[in-house]
Amino acid sequence: MDAIPGCNNPDLERAIPCSYAPFPDEEPQPEIPTNRRRPMKVFISAFTAVFFLALFAVLLGNQRSETPEADGVGSSSSKILKPVSRGVAQGVSEKAFRLFSGDEDGYSWTNAMLSWQRTEFHFQPEKNWMNDPNGPIFYKGWYHLFYQYNPDSALWGNITWGHAVSRDLIHWLHLPLAMVPDRWYDINGVWTGSATILPNGTILMLYTGSTNDSVQVQNLAYPADPSDPLLLHWVKDPSNPVLVPPPGIGLKDFRDPTTAWLSPEDDWRITIGSKVNTTGISLVYRTKDFRSYELLPGVLHAVPGTGMWECIDFYPVSTTEENGLDTSVNGPGVKHVLKASLDDDKNDYYALGTYDQQSNTWTPDNPEEDVGIGLRYDYGKFYASKTFYDQNKQRRILWGWIGETDSEIADTNKGWSSLQNIPREVVFDNKTGSNILQWPVEEVESLRISSQEFSKVKVDAGSIVPLDIDETTQLDITAEFEIEKEALEGTNGTDVGYNCINSGGAAGRGALGPFGLLVFAHHSLSEKTPVYFYLAKGTDGNVKTFFCSDESSSSEANDVGKVVYGSTVPVLDGEKLSMRLLVDHSIVESFAQGGRTVITSRVYPTKAIYGLARLFLFNNATGASITASLKIWKMNSASIKPYSDQ
Ligand code: DQQ
């Protein structure tokens, strides 16, 4: 396949009229599939109701009645964008997307645009707000996911535990709320927690409660009927709270207990995040019965300058085998991952290291890449994650909260906020020895419908190539790239200071990049989300590879986040550059080199939606052509619906 004539404009920031066959001259309107039209009916009813109310008001002599704009319930024009802060006063990290500090008006979102944003194979509740994943487990044939949920609105607040079950981590049944804030010790929120399955099969859930005084305490809960595979009912232990903030720890700086692990002394250990001044710390407690606890001296680990550690996760990975490990495993051939969600910047950082059970300390392999200053699970929108050991398939699975980066007005209008990622299997990368690999669970492949392959497509420097795919809003894409050998060898000392975030995004050109894919791209390229590699070659001849995702032209709307995300990715001798993308309406999860570097983007196009979203290869390098081979699957929708006995 050749590059399209006329599309050789190297500047991706300029709209390129790439007029190839499928696009008529007239700007077509997006076709709205019938299953996404429901909100329009709601709108029509709402409009009718508002109309009659307005008429009534006029009849009463009120001259100032208002009607909504004709084309959208989502019209947010003339509304101030900056939302109020949510969560900080209660002592958790910011739960509102507050990128916009000005008084600007919002974009006039139409119903069709907002409806399109709802995903089809990512887990989300039927409506309202969701944040952290909580207490994931596999029990009696079901995967359970609990999550932070506001049953009343699409904004954070009134936090309860939502609950859903699945046979395969992909198709879900929504169950009734598992726990609601109904005791003095959690009346301000049933916050994040983790499950431990004891060797005898007993499930214990430890969670943070925000008390009537907004003090953070830890509470114990368990299933009312352990023989019920759905674990519908939960009992809060009469001895709650089982832990209160210890001396020297702020009353609002003590939260999110981990899964417990069994120590050689035959007691259980948990760690809880906190901070002392600006040093993030992980406190460790010992317990026999999960009701009484002893704080161990010192801390598991501390990193100055990283602030409050939320949602700590602590688990072993095997350096010799591919399977995951139960949380209590330690010994030869094992490293421990320590992860903290940083309250200050709302990103999940991890490091690999060694856990010494005697001294109860964890030491990073590389102090320069310690927790909070080194590697991240995901360089995009991803927070408050949690793993669990899946004893069903001997693997460790990672869940994370993918928040919205649009306005609260839009969230309220669409009626929901936030997704969970497609669960990822986590293993130690024994090729590099210095990072983990994350990969979507194999079960997601059951959603693959039809596939198309593109073999060795040449993309010249400064050109784009359309990929002829019918529907591009639900895809699983695997792609391999080879860069022209002579150009790679002949280039030296380029882009020494390059990084994804500050180097001009996909429009920033260098000799050896950027090149990759444009997803959710309008044919005019006025909207597009490039996901790409960029090679920077030092004067010493060493090549550093970057993997980035550029949201800066993802939408013509002014009230959504448009960040360029990314980081370096290790590429070993003999490896091809490879990426995998899971594309599902307003989310793109991107994995480079088998999951060494991962980026999740939330995007909200206004034009590149429904049938008008296109997929392109692009190469914005100045001095090298690339060759790409791809396999692209159209993805089915997952079945995610309320549970019924039937
Ligand atoms: N979310 C919970 C807290 C946790 C925070 C409250 C992280 O327990 O620290 O919704 O997003």
Side-chain angles (χ1 to χ4, degrees), residues 92 95 131-132 148 156 191-192 255-256 310 383-384 401:
V92 285
K95 300 298 178 215
N131 56 293
D132 320 352
Q148 298 280 280
W156 186 85
W191 287 359
T192 280
R255 56 185 180 271
D256 311 332
E310 297 189 312
Y383 192 60
W401 164 39

Side-chain angles (χ1 to χ4, degrees), residues 9-55:
N9 189 326
D11 183 358
L12 285 175
E13 281 309 286
R14 285 170 53 186
I16 309 169
C18 300
S19 50
Y20 57 99
F23 299 109
D25 290 343
E26 284 266 288
E27 186 84 337
Q29 291 306 305
E31 192 186 315
I32 309 166
T34 42
N35 66 349
R36 287 181 172 263
R37 282 192 177 149
R38 223 175 307 130
M40 189 64 90
K41 285 187 195 156
V42 173
F43 163 66
I44 291 166
S45 322
F47 179 86
T48 311
V50 170
F51 176 78
F52 281 109
L53 272 176
L55 193 62

Side-chain angles (χ1 to χ4, degrees), residues 209-324:
S210 180
T211 71
N212 48 1
D213 288 327
S214 291
V215 174
Q216 294 169 10
V217 299
Q218 316 312 324
N219 302 310
L220 175 64
Y222 28 80
D225 176 9
S227 70
D228 169 17
L230 299 181
L231 301 173
L232 287 174
H233 303 289
W234 288 79
V235 176
K236 295 177 184 174
D237 195 69
S239 62
N240 282 338
V242 293
L243 271 173
V244 299
I249 292 297
L251 302 180
K252 292 182 180 175
D253 300 330
F254 182 62
R255 56 185 180 271
D256 311 332
T258 60
T259 295
W261 65 95
L262 199 52
S263 85
E265 283 104 67
D266 218 27
D267 53 22
W268 291 91
R269 309 277 167 96
I270 56 165
T271 180
I272 300 178
S274 188
K275 67 172 176 181
V276 174
N277 299 320
T278 58
T279 298
I281 62 170
S282 47
L283 302 164
V284 180
Y285 287 86
R286 148 184 21 230
T287 182
K288 285 266 187 204
D289 60 2
F290 287 79
R291 288 195 172 108
S292 57
Y293 294 79
E294 179 194 345
L295 177 62
L296 295 182
V299 291
L300 180 69
H301 195 56
V303 182
T306 54
M308 174 69 196
W309 285 9
E310 297 189 312
C311 303
I312 294 182
D313 202 6
F314 185 57
Y315 57 89
V317 286
S318 173
T319 58
T320 54
E321 290 164 16
E322 290 194 346
N323 56 293

Side-chain angles (χ1 to χ4, degrees), residues 137-386:
I137 42 169
F138 178 79
Y139 188 70
K140 293 190 188 292
W142 292 95
Y143 290 97
H144 289 255
L145 176 66
F146 305 87
Y147 52 89
Q148 298 280 280
Y149 182 60
N150 183 351
D152 301 330
S153 112
L155 311 177
W156 186 85
N158 184 29
I159 291 296
T160 67
W161 274 33
H163 184 192
V165 288
S166 168
R167 292 284 191 191
D168 60 3
L169 292 164
I170 299 298
H171 304 289
W172 292 91
L173 296 169
H174 294 298
L175 294 177
L177 301 176
M179 289 194 276
V180 300
D182 57 2
R183 307 295 158 94
W184 70 267
Y185 53 76
D186 63 13
I187 199 74
N188 275 313
V190 185
W191 287 359
T192 280
S194 305
T196 302
I197 306 183
L198 304 186
N200 67 4
T202 301
I203 298 173
L204 296 177
M205 203 65 89
L206 283 171
Y207 71 92
T208 298
S210 180
T211 71
N212 48 1
D213 288 327
S214 291
V215 174
Q216 294 169 10
V217 299
Q218 316 312 324
N219 302 310
L220 175 64
Y222 28 80
D225 176 9
S227 70
D228 169 17
L230 299 181
L231 301 173
L232 287 174
H233 303 289
W234 288 79
V235 176
K236 295 177 184 174
D237 195 69
S239 62
N240 282 338
V242 293
L243 271 173
V244 299
I249 292 297
L251 302 180
K252 292 182 180 175
D253 300 330
F254 182 62
R255 56 185 180 271
D256 311 332
T258 60
T259 295
W261 65 95
L262 199 52
S263 85
E265 283 104 67
D266 218 27
D267 53 22
W268 291 91
R269 309 277 167 96
I270 56 165
T271 180
I272 300 178
S274 188
K275 67 172 176 181
V276 174
N277 299 320
T278 58
T279 298
I281 62 170
S282 47
L283 302 164
V284 180
Y285 287 86
R286 148 184 21 230
T287 182
K288 285 266 187 204
D289 60 2
F290 287 79
R291 288 195 172 108
S292 57
Y293 294 79
E294 179 194 345
L295 177 62
L296 295 182
V299 291
L300 180 69
H301 195 56
V303 182
T306 54
M308 174 69 196
W309 285 9
E310 297 189 312
C311 303
I312 294 182
D313 202 6
F314 185 57
Y315 57 89
V317 286
S318 173
T319 58
T320 54
E321 290 164 16
E322 290 194 346
N323 56 293
L325 298 175
D326 177 87
T327 310
S328 297
V329 173
N330 201 357
V334 171
K335 282 185 188 291
H336 269 77
V337 173
L338 179 60
K339 184 277 298 189
S341 303
L342 294 202
D343 196 358
D344 287 357
D345 75 2
K346 290 184 280 303
N347 290 309
D348 278 16
Y349 291 84
Y350 79 95
L352 285 157
T354 306
Y355 174 44
D356 179 353
Q357 313 230 35
Q358 300 311 318
S359 64
N360 192 49
T361 53
W362 172 91
T363 311
D365 287 351
N366 177 0
E368 285 178 11
E369 299 228 312
D370 206 341
V371 179
I373 59 171
L375 298 172
R376 277 168 53 181
Y377 274 164
D378 190 305
Y379 289 85
K381 188 77 181 161
F382 185 92
Y383 192 60
S385 63
K386 190 175 295 300

